[in-house]
Amino acid sequence: MSTGPNLVDVLDAHRFDEAALLKWLQKEIPEFGSDLEVKQFQGGQSNPTFLLTSGGNRYVLRKKPPGKTLPSAHMVEREYKVIRALSDNTDVPVPKARVLCEDSDLIGTPFYVMDFMEGRVLSHPALPELEKAERRPIHEAAIDTMAKMHSVDVNKVGLGDFGRPEGYVARQVARWSKQYEASKTDDMPSMDKLMKWLPENLPAKDECAIAHGDYRLGNLMLHPDKPEVIAILDWELSTLGHPLADLAYYCLHYHLSSSFEGMRGVVGEDLGELGIPNEQETIERYCKATGRDGIDDWHVFVSFSLFRLAAIVQGVYARALAGNASNADALEVGKRAHILADAGWAVAQKGSKGTGL
């Protein structure tokens, strides 16, 4: 079972001055060693991420990608801020943040360094690598950890200014509509429909919490042997926002077909046979952990999440065409934007007609 990091030699497009980095790290992290080996993680689509090995210790470096990037994207400074606040002030599981460098002259773009954590990353919600009895506890741990993150008092931990506390979904729809338009390569009718429908069907109730923005199994580090989340990873899209957007995003696999390669869907699978909770069970567990009676406008959060993911995937595709995406198979990934947009529009239509999801 391969659940460890997928590491490759640093891609040509992402090479940097390793000697300059070593010298800087030795100054900033007193226990840093005298040598440095750098490998690149594969699997992420956005901020290039590297494993640093020195003196028997391992660290992770995340940096902005090279070249021109979309407005407000790849804000590694924000990632560092939220990880640092949570690791210093809460029991929300995150890696220990070490140091931030905002000087682009050192290795070409801003970056930060955090501790490497030993564990498992299991990306597919069907958890095919595991035995049936092991699957449900992992999904439950993921939901419980999300609830813990959403329960953090943002003002108490110094994140009160991490985003605007109101209007998250409306702002996100506007932002990702612009990002989509900036990276559009061909016509996508479902995206056009969603860009019109979503602003007219915003959630009735506004809420504010730490919104991770990309909360899914593939961004959770699990304990090597137990069904426990030891770290939430990849905070690039985090801000203050509506917590139910994270929950809906986590539930996207309930709305995507298992027959599409790489989409991590479970539609068409027997969830009972797999041993994973269904969507209603997932929602109920989250509601119990956060003291909710239920969720209104669920279809809005799900269609919004599919729309946003389609816009993100389209951006990956556009970067691949420009030659600077951080994953070698980004061109294939980009083709999935149509599938996501169509699924989002289908959910919006069903929910609007009151036929459920």
Side-chain angles (χ1 to χ4, degrees):
M1 178 171 74
S2 176
T3 57
N6 181 12
L7 295 165
V8 297
D9 290 333
V10 178
L11 300 178
D12 288 343
H14 296 143
R15 293 193 183 284
F16 52 78
D17 187 338
E18 295 181 12
L21 175 64
L22 174 58
K23 191 175 177 184
W24 187 84
L25 288 172
Q26 287 172 327
K27 187 178 69 176
E28 296 293 329
I29 303 175
E31 66 269 30
F32 207 85
S34 59
D35 60 325
L36 176 64
E37 181 192 20
V38 182
K39 291 284 188 181
Q40 185 163 3
F41 289 94
Q42 276 289 278
Q45 297 291 350
S46 196
N47 287 334
T49 306
F50 306 86
L51 178 67
L52 311 180
T53 305
S54 177
N57 292 321
R58 290 185 289 178
Y59 306 88
V60 174
L61 181 150
R62 273 172 71 81
K63 68 189 288 290
K64 291 188 181 184
K68 186 181 178 186
T69 57
L70 292 171
S72 74
H74 313 289
M75 300 292 286
V76 295
E77 303 89 342
R78 287 176 59 78
E79 286 189 49
Y80 178 80
K81 178 173 180 171
V82 68
I83 292 171
R84 189 68 191 247
L86 291 174
S87 64
D88 288 353
N89 303 300
T90 77
D91 61 352
V92 175
V94 289
K96 180 176 174 60
R98 291 288 188 158
V99 66
L100 169 70
C101 176
E102 298 181 83
D103 180 3
S104 295
D105 290 340
L106 188 65
I107 62 169
T109 65
F111 66 91
Y112 70 93
V113 175
M114 57 188 165
D115 285 356
F116 174 81
M117 299 189 72
E118 192 73 61
R120 300 173 291 166
V121 176
L122 305 172
S123 295
H124 201 293
L127 297 170
E129 308 94 335
L130 304 182
E131 298 295 323
K132 178 178 178 180
E134 299 177 279
R135 293 171 182 158
R136 178 179 286 269
I138 283 176
H139 277 286
E140 291 176 345
I143 292 301
D144 294 347
T145 301
M146 185 197 302
K148 182 184 285 189
M149 173 183 72
H150 288 159
S151 300
V152 169
D153 184 324
V154 295
N155 292 309
K156 276 188 181 174
V157 300
L159 291 173
D161 61 348
F162 195 57
R164 280 169 54 192
E166 71 292 312
Y168 172 74
V169 176
R171 291 199 315 279
Q172 285 279 301
V173 170
R175 174 189 173 185
W176 290 105
S177 295
K178 283 177 190 164
Q179 301 280 47
Y180 167 70
E181 293 287 3
S183 58
K184 189 173 178 178
T185 51
D186 58 355
D187 284 334
M188 216 181 296
S190 292
M191 284 297 276
D192 296 335
K193 291 172 183 172
L194 283 167
M195 283 192 288
K196 184 175 184 297
W197 182 86
L198 283 165
E200 297 168 355
N201 292 272
L202 295 171
K205 187 181 175 191
D206 211 356
E207 296 182 36
C208 177
I210 295 170
H212 180 273
D214 195 9
Y215 195 96
R216 54 188 169 85
L217 277 181
N219 280 334
L220 302 179
M221 177 72 72
L222 301 168
H223 187 281
D225 306 307
K226 303 174 191 172
E228 295 174 7
V229 178
I230 60 170
I232 306 170
L233 308 174
D234 197 351
W235 291 81
E236 183 195 341
L237 298 175
S238 62
T239 186
L240 298 187
H242 205 305
L244 295 182
D246 276 342
L247 181 63
Y249 186 80
Y250 185 85
C251 288
L252 288 191
H253 54 272
Y254 297 119
H255 303 276
L256 296 169
S257 172
S258 61
S259 63
F260 288 120
E261 185 65 32
M263 295 299 288
R264 303 194 181 105
V266 296
V267 173
E269 299 289 332
D270 184 332
L271 302 188
E273 188 62 35
L274 284 174
I276 66 172
N278 61 35
E279 185 175 40
Q280 194 54 42
E281 290 173 312
T282 299
I283 292 169
E284 285 172 3
R285 187 175 186 92
Y286 177 85
C287 286
K288 186 175 180 183
T290 55
R292 294 171 185 271
D293 296 329
I295 297 174
D296 297 323
D297 306 330
W298 181 241
H299 68 290
V300 175
F301 289 103
V302 173
S303 55
F304 158 67
S305 293
L306 285 160
F307 159 78
R308 196 185 59 133
L309 186 55
I312 291 169
V313 167
Q314 178 61 32
V316 171
Y317 182 51
R319 285 199 302 280
L321 293 179
N324 68 347
S326 62
N327 198 324
D329 67 352
L331 279 171
E332 284 303 307
V333 173
K335 296 172 185 174
R336 298 170 192 151
H338 283 271
I339 298 167
L340 292 161
D342 289 347
W345 181 237
V347 168
Q349 287 180 297
K350 274 187 195 171
S352 296
K353 291 171 184 170
T355 52
L357 299 183

